Amino acid sequence: MPSHLFADRPAQPPEPGAVDALISQTRRLRGEVDAVRRDAAVDEDDPQQRWQRALCDLAVHQLDDLGAHLGQLRAGVPASAVPEDGTGDLDSVVDTSLTAAPGTAYGVAARPRTGSLLSRVGSAEWNLLTDEVSWSEELFQIFGRLPESGPMSLDEMPTMVFAEDQPLLQSMVTGCLIDGKPIDGEFRIVRTDGRVRTVHMTGEPVLDADGCTASMWAVLRDVSELRRSERAVRESRDSLERSRHIERTERRVAVELQEAVLPPWRGSLRFAHDGPAPLDVAAHYLPAASTGLIGGDWYDALALPDGDALLTVGDLTGHGVTATSSMAMLLGALRGMAVAGIRPAALMGHLNQLLETSVQPALGSAMCCRYDPVAQTLAWAQAGHPAPLLFRDGTGHALRRPEGVLLGATTGAVYGEAETRLLPGDLLVLHTDGLTRGGGTDDDDTGTRRLLALGPRLAEARDAQDGVRAVVEEFGEESREDDACVMVVRVTRRN
């Protein structure tokens, strides 16, 4: 590189202590970032984690580059010898400046360690008057060319460059030699050992006394690792955006499917009008706070052809479209069998068989109640589900559960059936277990006790919707890990 290009740039050496302090801070920060990068467990299927790892890699590269500049600044090495690709080893650069042999140019050891940052930047000069070509030792390493083969002329260089990148190299060289433009661009090369590298080339023409180009000098940097990191960041960012789009789409579909399947009514509804004690029913769905996906919880209340009323709540494992589609299938089957007159215990057995043979295997808990308004009796069965809570005169207790295992858990499961007489003024709370686990640290017993403690408030409720409101006020603001449903059923007197 012609020395006269820097003749008008007087050196302003910094205070050694200030540079040492900056080097120390840079190395410490680099170590901390590298520790985070090493300790982070990366799931290759998770685009968010891959993106974060790629950003850590870029941060390490940039800190290496900063450390290299500081090391060169302390040793007096010109900035042109420092690459900007962030590759190499910070310790090797700093250490060479510390161990420089006396009398060595710029105070740096004559031969940098192979693979260090200094070995990834080289310089060259092509003299147009004498046809002489000068390559630094590092440039031979970048191109994978033996020094005995000699440096390459400007005419030979395109033979190692990718065919699609050759016009760019030709344009840069032509613009420099003919128009006196500086060189700044990248191209890919295929080394003699077959390895592909990306090289960034910067340079300027050297003019003679008549203003004509006498020679051209350039600094070439191997930026392969940096470009690979940048490409990984871009690909991870694109992959993350695709994943987010898929999640948003899945959530929208799940919500639409849930809204299409769950009862469209809002507020209190009247069921079982043929008896002396009809039902006032209201329900509410509480989404999970820890995930944006909709789960497989359901509630339903249905007037049956014989005058009875169907009351049911349930919960399927999983989230998203898979869970809501399975829930829709199960709820549709449950409604059909209830309309056909199948009793709760037998109905649970059919649902278990249906879920077990489904193409989308899952586990589920469910409760199915059939209320006879004439006899004022509630017949019910459950499959691994919390028992209904019965409140009478402001005091509540859990009904004794009949036998029943989770849906889909075992072949040929048998389900028991219980019967309870209800009185006007009684209030039932049916819910899925996500409600009682809403706080994250509470177990089922604690959540159940909190529900039972609402007895006095529920006794004062004007209707079923008022009762749902009281439950939601108690549990609705919690950061629950699972979604939940709650249904309040109030036995009223016929006017």
Side-chain angles (χ1 to χ4, degrees), residues 342-389:
I342 298 177
R343 301 290 297 178
L347 195 152
M348 287 289 106
H350 291 310
L351 290 182
N352 178 68
Q353 183 180 10
L354 180 64
L355 196 58
E356 182 188 8
T357 57
S358 172
V359 294
Q360 297 175 342
L363 294 175
S365 69
M367 176 170 52
C368 179
C369 307
R370 192 179 185 103
Y371 176 67
D372 182 345
V374 177
Q376 297 178 225
T377 56
L378 182 79
W380 67 286
Q382 63 84 30
H385 201 85
L389 303 183

mmCIF file of all heavy atoms in Angstrom, residues 342-389:
data_model
loop_
_atom_site.group_PDB
_atom_site.id
_atom_site.type_symbol
_atom_site.label_atom_id
_atom_site.label_comp_id
_atom_site.label_asym_id
_atom_site.label_seq_id
_atom_site.Cartn_x
_atom_site.Cartn_y
_atom_site.Cartn_z
ATOM 1 N N ILE A 342 -79.909 -41.052 25.756
ATOM 2 C CA ILE A 342 -78.890 -41.857 26.445
ATOM 3 C C ILE A 342 -78.560 -41.204 27.777
ATOM 4 O O ILE A 342 -78.336 -39.996 27.857
ATOM 5 C CB ILE A 342 -77.631 -41.996 25.572
ATOM 6 C CG1 ILE A 342 -77.987 -42.736 24.279
ATOM 7 C CG2 ILE A 342 -76.516 -42.716 26.319
ATOM 8 C CD1 ILE A 342 -76.840 -42.877 23.318
ATOM 9 N N ARG A 343 -78.520 -42.022 28.830
ATOM 10 C CA ARG A 343 -78.276 -41.535 30.177
ATOM 11 C C ARG A 343 -76.804 -41.118 30.360
ATOM 12 O O ARG A 343 -75.920 -41.543 29.602
ATOM 13 C CB ARG A 343 -78.636 -42.608 31.196
ATOM 14 C CG ARG A 343 -80.085 -43.061 31.143
ATOM 15 C CD ARG A 343 -81.017 -41.996 31.634
ATOM 16 N NE ARG A 343 -80.772 -41.666 33.051
ATOM 17 C CZ ARG A 343 -81.425 -40.741 33.727
ATOM 18 N NH1 ARG A 343 -82.349 -40.000 33.112
ATOM 19 N NH2 ARG A 343 -81.160 -40.504 35.002
ATOM 20 N N PRO A 344 -76.513 -40.272 31.357
ATOM 21 C CA PRO A 344 -75.155 -39.742 31.530
ATOM 22 C C PRO A 344 -74.063 -40.794 31.639
ATOM 23 O O PRO A 344 -73.002 -40.641 31.026
ATOM 24 C CB PRO A 344 -75.270 -38.910 32.812
ATOM 25 C CG PRO A 344 -76.679 -38.444 32.826
ATOM 26 C CD PRO A 344 -77.464 -39.595 32.267
ATOM 27 N N ALA A 345 -74.260 -41.865 32.406
ATOM 28 C CA ALA A 345 -73.200 -42.862 32.583
ATOM 29 C C ALA A 345 -72.870 -43.548 31.260
ATOM 30 O O ALA A 345 -71.694 -43.701 30.879
ATOM 31 C CB ALA A 345 -73.607 -43.885 33.641
ATOM 32 N N ALA A 346 -73.901 -43.994 30.540
ATOM 33 C CA ALA A 346 -73.661 -44.639 29.247
ATOM 34 C C ALA A 346 -73.076 -43.645 28.249
ATOM 35 O O ALA A 346 -72.218 -44.001 27.421
ATOM 36 C CB ALA A 346 -74.979 -45.217 28.713
ATOM 37 N N LEU A 347 -73.522 -42.401 28.343
ATOM 38 C CA LEU A 347 -73.009 -41.369 27.443
ATOM 39 C C LEU A 347 -71.503 -41.192 27.638
ATOM 40 O O LEU A 347 -70.752 -41.068 26.657
ATOM 41 C CB LEU A 347 -73.763 -40.074 27.712
ATOM 42 C CG LEU A 347 -73.664 -38.956 26.681
ATOM 43 C CD1 LEU A 347 -74.907 -38.090 26.706
ATOM 44 C CD2 LEU A 347 -72.445 -38.100 26.904
ATOM 45 N N MET A 348 -71.022 -41.203 28.891
ATOM 46 C CA MET A 348 -69.579 -41.087 29.157
ATOM 47 C C MET A 348 -68.811 -42.237 28.516
ATOM 48 O O MET A 348 -67.717 -42.059 27.970
ATOM 49 C CB MET A 348 -69.318 -41.072 30.660
ATOM 50 C CG MET A 348 -69.710 -39.801 31.377
ATOM 51 S SD MET A 348 -68.648 -38.375 31.015
ATOM 52 C CE MET A 348 -69.732 -37.446 29.953
ATOM 53 N N GLY A 349 -69.402 -43.453 28.592
ATOM 54 C CA GLY A 349 -68.734 -44.606 27.978
ATOM 55 C C GLY A 349 -68.589 -44.458 26.474
ATOM 56 O O GLY A 349 -67.544 -44.792 25.900
ATOM 57 N N HIS A 350 -69.622 -43.943 25.817
ATOM 58 C CA HIS A 350 -69.554 -43.735 24.365
ATOM 59 C C HIS A 350 -68.522 -42.654 24.013
ATOM 60 O O HIS A 350 -67.782 -42.780 23.026
ATOM 61 C CB HIS A 350 -70.929 -43.348 23.832
ATOM 62 C CG HIS A 350 -71.926 -44.456 23.885
ATOM 63 N ND1 HIS A 350 -71.681 -45.726 23.404
ATOM 64 C CD2 HIS A 350 -73.199 -44.476 24.373
ATOM 65 C CE1 HIS A 350 -72.742 -46.488 23.579
ATOM 66 N NE2 HIS A 350 -73.690 -45.762 24.163
ATOM 67 N N LEU A 351 -68.484 -41.589 24.807
ATOM 68 C CA LEU A 351 -67.493 -40.540 24.550
ATOM 69 C C LEU A 351 -66.068 -41.072 24.718
ATOM 70 O O LEU A 351 -65.162 -40.702 23.961
ATOM 71 C CB LEU A 351 -67.716 -39.352 25.487
ATOM 72 C CG LEU A 351 -68.969 -38.499 25.255
ATOM 73 C CD1 LEU A 351 -68.990 -37.335 26.238
ATOM 74 C CD2 LEU A 351 -69.045 -37.987 23.825
ATOM 75 N N ASN A 352 -65.868 -41.927 25.707
ATOM 76 C CA ASN A 352 -64.543 -42.520 25.920
ATOM 77 C C ASN A 352 -64.117 -43.335 24.704
ATOM 78 O O ASN A 352 -62.977 -43.239 24.230
ATOM 79 C CB ASN A 352 -64.578 -43.404 27.163
ATOM 80 C CG ASN A 352 -63.242 -44.090 27.406
ATOM 81 O OD1 ASN A 352 -62.245 -43.456 27.731
ATOM 82 N ND2 ASN A 352 -63.221 -45.411 27.234
ATOM 83 N N GLN A 353 -65.044 -44.123 24.172
ATOM 84 C CA GLN A 353 -64.737 -44.935 22.989
ATOM 85 C C GLN A 353 -64.465 -44.040 21.780
ATOM 86 O O GLN A 353 -63.545 -44.297 20.989
ATOM 87 C CB GLN A 353 -65.897 -45.889 22.701
ATOM 88 C CG GLN A 353 -65.640 -46.822 21.521
ATOM 89 C CD GLN A 353 -66.810 -47.759 21.265
ATOM 90 O OE1 GLN A 353 -67.888 -47.597 21.851
ATOM 91 N NE2 GLN A 353 -66.612 -48.734 20.396
ATOM 92 N N LEU A 354 -65.238 -42.982 21.640
ATOM 93 C CA LEU A 354 -65.061 -42.062 20.509
ATOM 94 C C LEU A 354 -63.693 -41.382 20.568
ATOM 95 O O LEU A 354 -62.994 -41.295 19.549
ATOM 96 C CB LEU A 354 -66.177 -41.018 20.524
ATOM 97 C CG LEU A 354 -66.146 -39.964 19.413
ATOM 98 C CD1 LEU A 354 -66.336 -40.626 18.060
ATOM 99 C CD2 LEU A 354 -67.232 -38.913 19.648
ATOM 100 N N LEU A 355 -63.294 -40.921 21.745
ATOM 101 C CA LEU A 355 -62.018 -40.232 21.875
ATOM 102 C C LEU A 355 -60.853 -41.191 21.715
ATOM 103 O O LEU A 355 -59.808 -40.832 21.158
ATOM 104 C CB LEU A 355 -61.944 -39.534 23.238
ATOM 105 C CG LEU A 355 -60.859 -38.460 23.394
ATOM 106 C CD1 LEU A 355 -61.040 -37.372 22.357
ATOM 107 C CD2 LEU A 355 -60.889 -37.860 24.790
ATOM 108 N N GLU A 356 -61.039 -42.424 22.178
ATOM 109 C CA GLU A 356 -59.966 -43.416 22.084
ATOM 110 C C GLU A 356 -59.670 -43.793 20.641
ATOM 111 O O GLU A 356 -58.523 -44.049 20.269
ATOM 112 C CB GLU A 356 -60.364 -44.665 22.883
ATOM 113 C CG GLU A 356 -59.315 -45.748 22.895
ATOM 114 C CD GLU A 356 -59.827 -47.029 23.531
ATOM 115 O OE1 GLU A 356 -61.029 -47.112 23.827
ATOM 116 O OE2 GLU A 356 -59.018 -47.951 23.704
ATOM 117 N N THR A 357 -60.690 -43.810 19.789
ATOM 118 C CA THR A 357 -60.506 -44.212 18.390
ATOM 119 C C THR A 357 -60.341 -43.019 17.452
ATOM 120 O O THR A 357 -60.306 -43.195 16.238
ATOM 121 C CB THR A 357 -61.724 -45.044 17.930
ATOM 122 O OG1 THR A 357 -62.923 -44.272 18.104
ATOM 123 C CG2 THR A 357 -61.838 -46.324 18.742
ATOM 124 N N SER A 358 -60.254 -41.836 18.003
ATOM 125 C CA SER A 358 -60.121 -40.637 17.170
ATOM 126 C C SER A 358 -58.766 -40.619 16.474
ATOM 127 O O SER A 358 -57.771 -41.149 16.980
ATOM 128 C CB SER A 358 -60.282 -39.380 18.033
ATOM 129 O OG SER A 358 -59.967 -38.220 17.291
ATOM 130 N N VAL A 359 -58.720 -39.982 15.304
ATOM 131 C CA VAL A 359 -57.457 -39.862 14.566
ATOM 132 C C VAL A 359 -56.526 -38.877 15.249
ATOM 133 O O VAL A 359 -55.335 -38.824 14.945
ATOM 134 C CB VAL A 359 -57.703 -39.412 13.110
ATOM 135 C CG1 VAL A 359 -58.453 -40.481 12.348
ATOM 136 C CG2 VAL A 359 -58.468 -38.082 13.065
ATOM 137 N N GLN A 360 -57.069 -38.094 16.174
ATOM 138 C CA GLN A 360 -56.270 -37.157 16.951
ATOM 139 C C GLN A 360 -56.392 -37.540 18.426
ATOM 140 O O GLN A 360 -57.198 -36.979 19.167
ATOM 141 C CB GLN A 360 -56.745 -35.716 16.739
ATOM 142 C CG GLN A 360 -56.594 -35.234 15.312
ATOM 143 C CD GLN A 360 -57.175 -33.843 15.093
ATOM 144 O OE1 GLN A 360 -57.964 -33.351 15.887
ATOM 145 N NE2 GLN A 360 -56.774 -33.206 14.010
ATOM 146 N N PRO A 361 -55.616 -38.552 18.873
ATOM 147 C CA PRO A 361 -55.746 -39.042 20.249
ATOM 148 C C PRO A 361 -55.532 -37.923 21.254
ATOM 149 O O PRO A 361 -54.677 -37.067 21.099
ATOM 150 C CB PRO A 361 -54.642 -40.094 20.351
ATOM 151 C CG PRO A 361 -54.322 -40.476 18.933
ATOM 152 C CD PRO A 361 -54.553 -39.236 18.134
ATOM 153 N N ALA A 362 -56.345 -37.939 22.293
ATOM 154 C CA ALA A 362 -56.241 -36.934 23.349
ATOM 155 C C ALA A 362 -56.885 -37.490 24.600
ATOM 156 O O ALA A 362 -57.581 -38.517 24.571
ATOM 157 C CB ALA A 362 -56.915 -35.627 22.927
ATOM 158 N N LEU A 363 -56.616 -36.829 25.706
ATOM 159 C CA LEU A 363 -57.279 -37.143 26.961
ATOM 160 C C LEU A 363 -58.231 -36.012 27.290
ATOM 161 O O LEU A 363 -58.015 -34.866 26.895
ATOM 162 C CB LEU A 363 -56.265 -37.322 28.091
ATOM 163 C CG LEU A 363 -55.310 -38.509 27.985
ATOM 164 C CD1 LEU A 363 -54.302 -38.468 29.129
ATOM 165 C CD2 LEU A 363 -56.075 -39.825 28.012
ATOM 166 N N GLY A 364 -59.278 -36.333 28.036
ATOM 167 C CA GLY A 364 -60.222 -35.293 28.392
ATOM 168 C C GLY A 364 -60.957 -35.627 29.673
ATOM 169 O O GLY A 364 -61.097 -36.795 30.047
ATOM 170 N N SER A 365 -61.380 -34.579 30.359
ATOM 171 C CA SER A 365 -62.268 -34.752 31.507
ATOM 172 C C SER A 365 -63.605 -34.141 31.138
ATOM 173 O O SER A 365 -63.667 -33.189 30.347
ATOM 174 C CB SER A 365 -61.686 -34.084 32.754
ATOM 175 O OG SER A 365 -61.701 -32.672 32.619
ATOM 176 N N ALA A 366 -64.674 -34.700 31.701
ATOM 177 C CA ALA A 366 -65.996 -34.207 31.345
ATOM 178 C C ALA A 366 -66.985 -34.527 32.454
ATOM 179 O O ALA A 366 -66.777 -35.443 33.265
ATOM 180 C CB ALA A 366 -66.463 -34.820 30.022
ATOM 181 N N MET A 367 -68.053 -33.762 32.476
ATOM 182 C CA MET A 367 -69.166 -34.013 33.381
ATOM 183 C C MET A 367 -70.448 -33.784 32.602
ATOM 184 O O MET A 367 -70.590 -32.793 31.879
ATOM 185 C CB MET A 367 -69.105 -33.084 34.588
ATOM 186 C CG MET A 367 -70.289 -33.223 35.523
ATOM 187 S SD MET A 367 -70.065 -32.330 37.081
ATOM 188 C CE MET A 367 -69.617 -30.713 36.484
ATOM 189 N N CYS A 368 -71.383 -34.709 32.754
ATOM 190 C CA CYS A 368 -72.654 -34.624 32.047
ATOM 191 C C CYS A 368 -73.775 -34.775 33.068
ATOM 192 O O CYS A 368 -73.823 -35.763 33.814
ATOM 193 C CB CYS A 368 -72.734 -35.717 30.980
ATOM 194 S SG CYS A 368 -74.274 -35.714 30.056
ATOM 195 N N CYS A 369 -74.666 -33.797 33.101
ATOM 196 C CA CYS A 369 -75.789 -33.802 34.043
ATOM 197 C C CYS A 369 -77.110 -33.777 33.259
ATOM 198 O O CYS A 369 -77.224 -33.094 32.237
ATOM 199 C CB CYS A 369 -75.749 -32.597 34.966
ATOM 200 S SG CYS A 369 -74.183 -32.369 35.836
ATOM 201 N N ARG A 370 -78.113 -34.514 33.798
ATOM 202 C CA ARG A 370 -79.455 -34.494 33.202
ATOM 203 C C ARG A 370 -80.438 -34.146 34.315
ATOM 204 O O ARG A 370 -80.558 -34.877 35.307
ATOM 205 C CB ARG A 370 -79.768 -35.858 32.588
ATOM 206 C CG ARG A 370 -81.014 -35.859 31.705
ATOM 207 C CD ARG A 370 -81.270 -37.230 31.112
ATOM 208 N NE ARG A 370 -82.391 -37.205 30.192
ATOM 209 C CZ ARG A 370 -82.296 -37.212 28.873
ATOM 210 N NH1 ARG A 370 -81.077 -37.239 28.313
ATOM 211 N NH2 ARG A 370 -83.358 -37.187 28.087
ATOM 212 N N TYR A 371 -81.108 -33.007 34.120
ATOM 213 C CA TYR A 371 -82.020 -32.532 35.150
ATOM 214 C C TYR A 371 -83.468 -32.799 34.755
ATOM 215 O O TYR A 371 -83.900 -32.447 33.655
ATOM 216 C CB TYR A 371 -81.820 -31.026 35.373
ATOM 217 C CG TYR A 371 -82.786 -30.423 36.356
ATOM 218 C CD1 TYR A 371 -82.738 -30.765 37.704
ATOM 219 C CD2 TYR A 371 -83.750 -29.508 35.937
ATOM 220 C CE1 TYR A 371 -83.620 -30.208 38.617
ATOM 221 C CE2 TYR A 371 -84.628 -28.930 36.844
ATOM 222 C CZ TYR A 371 -84.567 -29.287 38.183
ATOM 223 O OH TYR A 371 -85.451 -28.731 39.078
ATOM 224 N N ASP A 372 -84.206 -33.442 35.683
ATOM 225 C CA ASP A 372 -85.633 -33.726 35.492
ATOM 226 C C ASP A 372 -86.416 -32.675 36.276
ATOM 227 O O ASP A 372 -86.423 -32.695 37.518
ATOM 228 C CB ASP A 372 -85.950 -35.137 36.016
ATOM 229 C CG ASP A 372 -87.413 -35.517 35.809
ATOM 230 O OD1 ASP A 372 -88.241 -34.624 35.536
ATOM 231 O OD2 ASP A 372 -87.717 -36.713 35.937
ATOM 232 N N PRO A 373 -87.067 -31.730 35.584
ATOM 233 C CA PRO A 373 -87.743 -30.642 36.306
ATOM 234 C C PRO A 373 -88.997 -31.087 37.055
ATOM 235 O O PRO A 373 -89.450 -30.381 37.963
ATOM 236 C CB PRO A 373 -88.091 -29.654 35.198
ATOM 237 C CG PRO A 373 -88.217 -30.498 33.969
ATOM 238 C CD PRO A 373 -87.222 -31.606 34.129
ATOM 239 N N VAL A 374 -89.560 -32.228 36.673
ATOM 240 C CA VAL A 374 -90.751 -32.710 37.362
ATOM 241 C C VAL A 374 -90.358 -33.346 38.690
ATOM 242 O O VAL A 374 -90.891 -33.011 39.757
ATOM 243 C CB VAL A 374 -91.533 -33.700 36.481
ATOM 244 C CG1 VAL A 374 -92.746 -34.256 37.240
ATOM 245 C CG2 VAL A 374 -91.988 -33.022 35.188
ATOM 246 N N ALA A 375 -89.396 -34.268 38.646
ATOM 247 C CA ALA A 375 -88.922 -34.929 39.872
ATOM 248 C C ALA A 375 -87.923 -34.068 40.632
ATOM 249 O O ALA A 375 -87.572 -34.387 41.775
ATOM 250 C CB ALA A 375 -88.292 -36.279 39.533
ATOM 251 N N GLN A 376 -87.440 -33.026 39.985
ATOM 252 C CA GLN A 376 -86.440 -32.125 40.566
ATOM 253 C C GLN A 376 -85.175 -32.885 40.989
ATOM 254 O O GLN A 376 -84.630 -32.693 42.068
ATOM 255 C CB GLN A 376 -87.009 -31.354 41.766
ATOM 256 C CG GLN A 376 -88.159 -30.429 41.403
ATOM 257 C CD GLN A 376 -88.732 -29.726 42.612
ATOM 258 O OE1 GLN A 376 -89.950 -29.649 42.769
ATOM 259 N NE2 GLN A 376 -87.890 -29.211 43.470
ATOM 260 N N THR A 377 -84.742 -33.787 40.105
ATOM 261 C CA THR A 377 -83.547 -34.588 40.375
ATOM 262 C C THR A 377 -82.481 -34.307 39.317
ATOM 263 O O THR A 377 -82.792 -34.055 38.142
ATOM 264 C CB THR A 377 -83.870 -36.092 40.374
ATOM 265 O OG1 THR A 377 -84.474 -36.452 39.132
ATOM 266 C CG2 THR A 377 -84.796 -36.450 41.533
ATOM 267 N N LEU A 378 -81.237 -34.386 39.766
ATOM 268 C CA LEU A 378 -80.078 -34.205 38.889
ATOM 269 C C LEU A 378 -79.329 -35.534 38.827
ATOM 270 O O LEU A 378 -78.770 -35.990 39.835
ATOM 271 C CB LEU A 378 -79.158 -33.107 39.428
ATOM 272 C CG LEU A 378 -77.928 -32.786 38.567
ATOM 273 C CD1 LEU A 378 -78.326 -31.894 37.397
ATOM 274 C CD2 LEU A 378 -76.845 -32.087 39.402
ATOM 275 N N ALA A 379 -79.327 -36.179 37.661
ATOM 276 C CA ALA A 379 -78.539 -37.394 37.444
ATOM 277 C C ALA A 379 -77.266 -36.989 36.703
ATOM 278 O O ALA A 379 -77.334 -36.284 35.687
ATOM 279 C CB ALA A 379 -79.330 -38.412 36.638
ATOM 280 N N TRP A 380 -76.115 -37.464 37.185
ATOM 281 C CA TRP A 380 -74.879 -37.006 36.570
ATOM 282 C C TRP A 380 -73.795 -38.062 36.622
ATOM 283 O O TRP A 380 -73.781 -38.956 37.466
ATOM 284 C CB TRP A 380 -74.406 -35.704 37.208
ATOM 285 C CG TRP A 380 -73.974 -35.822 38.652
ATOM 286 C CD1 TRP A 380 -74.786 -35.969 39.741
ATOM 287 C CD2 TRP A 380 -72.638 -35.799 39.147
ATOM 288 N NE1 TRP A 380 -74.056 -36.033 40.884
ATOM 289 C CE2 TRP A 380 -72.735 -35.919 40.562
ATOM 290 C CE3 TRP A 380 -71.399 -35.655 38.560
ATOM 291 C CZ2 TRP A 380 -71.608 -35.937 41.376
ATOM 292 C CZ3 TRP A 380 -70.269 -35.666 39.371
ATOM 293 C CH2 TRP A 380 -70.372 -35.803 40.758
ATOM 294 N N ALA A 381 -72.876 -37.965 35.657
ATOM 295 C CA ALA A 381 -71.702 -38.834 35.576
ATOM 296 C C ALA A 381 -70.505 -37.963 35.252
ATOM 297 O O ALA A 381 -70.649 -36.855 34.714
ATOM 298 C CB ALA A 381 -71.901 -39.913 34.512
ATOM 299 N N GLN A 382 -69.324 -38.483 35.576
ATOM 300 C CA GLN A 382 -68.114 -37.694 35.342
ATOM 301 C C GLN A 382 -66.978 -38.600 34.883
ATOM 302 O O GLN A 382 -66.937 -39.792 35.185
ATOM 303 C CB GLN A 382 -67.728 -36.930 36.606
ATOM 304 C CG GLN A 382 -67.381 -37.790 37.799
ATOM 305 C CD GLN A 382 -65.940 -38.274 37.807
ATOM 306 O OE1 GLN A 382 -65.047 -37.593 37.279
ATOM 307 N NE2 GLN A 382 -65.693 -39.462 38.381
ATOM 308 N N ALA A 383 -66.049 -38.003 34.159
ATOM 309 C CA ALA A 383 -64.845 -38.697 33.684
ATOM 310 C C ALA A 383 -63.632 -37.890 34.125
ATOM 311 O O ALA A 383 -63.220 -36.954 33.440
ATOM 312 C CB ALA A 383 -64.873 -38.841 32.166
ATOM 313 N N GLY A 384 -63.098 -38.222 35.301
ATOM 314 C CA GLY A 384 -61.921 -37.528 35.826
ATOM 315 C C GLY A 384 -62.119 -36.045 36.011
ATOM 316 O O GLY A 384 -61.175 -35.267 35.837
ATOM 317 N N HIS A 385 -63.323 -35.631 36.379
ATOM 318 C CA HIS A 385 -63.677 -34.220 36.396
ATOM 319 C C HIS A 385 -64.056 -33.762 37.800
ATOM 320 O O HIS A 385 -64.592 -34.549 38.587
ATOM 321 C CB HIS A 385 -64.848 -33.957 35.448
ATOM 322 C CG HIS A 385 -64.982 -32.536 35.016
ATOM 323 N ND1 HIS A 385 -64.291 -32.010 33.955
ATOM 324 C CD2 HIS A 385 -65.716 -31.514 35.528
ATOM 325 C CE1 HIS A 385 -64.599 -30.738 33.808
ATOM 326 N NE2 HIS A 385 -65.463 -30.414 34.760
ATOM 327 N N PRO A 386 -63.799 -32.484 38.149
ATOM 328 C CA PRO A 386 -64.237 -31.975 39.452
ATOM 329 C C PRO A 386 -65.748 -32.101 39.622
ATOM 330 O O PRO A 386 -66.521 -31.887 38.679
ATOM 331 C CB PRO A 386 -63.812 -30.502 39.418
ATOM 332 C CG PRO A 386 -62.720 -30.438 38.409
ATOM 333 C CD PRO A 386 -63.036 -31.471 37.385
ATOM 334 N N ALA A 387 -66.164 -32.447 40.840
ATOM 335 C CA ALA A 387 -67.588 -32.630 41.122
ATOM 336 C C ALA A 387 -68.305 -31.286 41.142
ATOM 337 O O ALA A 387 -67.699 -30.236 41.430
ATOM 338 C CB ALA A 387 -67.762 -33.330 42.467
ATOM 339 N N PRO A 388 -69.607 -31.269 40.850
ATOM 340 C CA PRO A 388 -70.383 -30.032 40.980
ATOM 341 C C PRO A 388 -70.391 -29.572 42.432
ATOM 342 O O PRO A 388 -70.341 -30.385 43.366
ATOM 343 C CB PRO A 388 -71.782 -30.435 40.524
ATOM 344 C CG PRO A 388 -71.616 -31.723 39.781
ATOM 345 C CD PRO A 388 -70.436 -32.400 40.379
ATOM 346 N N LEU A 389 -70.459 -28.268 42.618
ATOM 347 C CA LEU A 389 -70.588 -27.693 43.957
ATOM 348 C C LEU A 389 -72.036 -27.243 44.139
ATOM 349 O O LEU A 389 -72.559 -26.469 43.338
ATOM 350 C CB LEU A 389 -69.643 -26.505 44.129
ATOM 351 C CG LEU A 389 -68.149 -26.764 43.889
ATOM 352 C CD1 LEU A 389 -67.344 -25.499 44.169
ATOM 353 C CD2 LEU A 389 -67.641 -27.923 44.739
#
